[in-house]
């Protein structure tokens, strides 16, 4: 099913004009803007919501996702590190995702750094060791490779 949010976005923007301080409306508008690729505007709306209601459920995670979409990886890391317990797994997923993006661009140093950050958050996860082992293998670093196998 093709996603076409034009009408929904128009309706939410109209509602937002009438009720600019409605938390649920702002959260949904921010999510929809993010889904439509308007991450910078989503960040603005969601951050204003956070400033009014920092305890809104899942808000920090969604703001972090908007920062990831906008390419603001450091900001995303900060938001996820402050997120509730469920955010911890999202932080690890973010570190691994960023690591893979760096690998795709051929930047093994940055990828390795992101995977190491994921390992610090979840040292029991064997997949992260495999990520690190893969990079050390590609680098032909057999000494370090052994520490991740």
């Amino acid at each position: 099913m093709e996603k076409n949010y034009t009408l929904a976005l128009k309706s939410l923007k109209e509602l937002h004009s009438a009720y600019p301080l409605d938390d649920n409306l702002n959260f949904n508008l921010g999510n929809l803007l993010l889904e439509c690729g308007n991450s910078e505007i989503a960040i603005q709306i969601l951050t204003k919501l956070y400033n009014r209601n920092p305890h809104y459920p899942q808000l920090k995670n969604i703001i972090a996702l908007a920062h990831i979409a906008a390419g603001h990886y450091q900001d995303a890391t900060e938001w996820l590190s402050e997120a509730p317990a469920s955010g911890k797994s999202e932080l690890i997923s973010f570190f691994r995702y960023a690591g893979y993006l760096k690998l795709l661009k051929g930047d093994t140093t940055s990828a390795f750094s992101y995977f190491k950050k994921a390992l610090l958050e979840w040292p029991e996860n064997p997949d992260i060791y495999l990520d690190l082992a893969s990079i050390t293998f590609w680098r032909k670093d057999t000494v370090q490779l052994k520490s991740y196998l």
Side-chain angles (χ1 to χ4, degrees), residues 93-137:
S93 295
F94 162 71
F95 285 144
R96 293 186 72 211
Y97 176 74
Y100 291 126
L101 287 177
K102 292 297 182 180
L103 273 179
L104 289 172
K105 293 180 179 181
D107 185 354
T108 59
T109 303
S110 294
F112 190 83
S113 174
Y114 278 115
F115 292 138
K116 286 289 282 188
K117 289 177 182 181
L119 185 64
L120 289 173
E121 296 293 331
W122 192 6
E124 304 84 26
N125 185 324
D127 293 332
I128 301 169
Y129 285 93
L130 184 58
D131 296 333
L132 290 164
S134 297
I135 291 176
T136 55
F137 177 77

Side-chain angles (χ1 to χ4, degrees), residues 18-39:
Y19 306 100
L21 299 179
D22 183 282
D23 289 351
N24 292 324
L25 180 60
N26 279 280
F27 184 77
N28 289 320
L29 178 58
N31 272 314
L32 185 57
L33 286 164
L34 178 59
E35 184 71 27
C36 292
N38 297 319
S39 54

Side-chain angles (χ1 to χ4, degrees), residues 23 26-27 45-54 56 59:
D23 289 351
N26 279 280
F27 184 77
I45 289 172
L46 295 169
T47 302
K48 285 179 185 175
L49 171 58
Y50 176 80
N51 290 335
R52 279 194 317 275
N53 184 357
Y56 194 92
L59 182 57

